[in-house]
C-alpha cells in the first residue's frame, strides 16, 4: 500500500490547474487519475501530472490516484 505522503497534489485550494507529484521515485502511475464528486462519482479521468479543473463548480472533491503500490485518495477544494 502506498503512503498518502508519497503523493502530493497542489495547489490546494485550486482554481484552474490541479497538479499531481510523486514524492517517492519507486512509485509510478498505472491508471488514469480520477476526480470524484462528493457522491463518489468519477467526473474527470486524466493521465499525467496535471489537469484543467476551471470548469468544475466550486466545492470539495477527491482525487483518486492509482499507483504500482496501490491507491491514494487526496481531497482538494476547487475555488
Amino acid at each position: 500500500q502506498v503512503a498518502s505522503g508519497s503523493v502530493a497534489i497542489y495547489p490546494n485550494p485550486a482554481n484552474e490547474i490541479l497538479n499531481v507529484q510523486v514524492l517517492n521515485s519507486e512509485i509510478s502511475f498505472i491508471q488514469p487519475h480520477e476526480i470524484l464528486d462528493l457522491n463518489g462519482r468519477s467526473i474527470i479521468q486524466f493521465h499525467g501530472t496535471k489537469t484543467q479543473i476551471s470548469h468544475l463548480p466550486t466545492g470539495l472533491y477527491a482525487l483518486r490516484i492509482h499507483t504500482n503500490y496501490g491507491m491514494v485518495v487526496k481531497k482538494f477544494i476547487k475555488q
Side-chain angles (χ1 to χ4, degrees):
Q1 182 172 338
V2 63
S4 180
S6 298
V7 178
I9 61 172
Y10 63 92
N12 192 7
N15 292 315
E16 296 183 15
I17 301 286
L18 185 67
N19 297 284
V20 183
Q21 181 180 7
V22 173
L23 304 175
N24 180 334
S25 62
E26 295 180 9
I27 295 175
S28 59
F29 301 132
I30 59 170
Q31 293 180 15
H33 312 310
E34 296 176 274
I35 294 179
L36 311 172
D37 66 14
L38 288 180
N39 294 317
R41 291 182 298 230
S42 178
I43 54 174
I44 297 175
Q45 292 188 2
F46 68 100
H47 293 273
T49 58
K50 62 183 168 182
T51 190
Q52 179 68 245
I53 61 167
S54 59
H55 63 284
L56 293 177
T58 299
L60 181 64
Y61 294 87
L63 176 64
R64 185 165 36 202
I65 304 161
H66 300 276
T67 76
N68 55 327
Y69 282 92
M71 183 180 65
V72 176
V73 177
K74 298 276 196 170
K75 293 181 181 174
F76 71 94
I77 297 170
K78 162 58 171 75
Q79 285 188 326

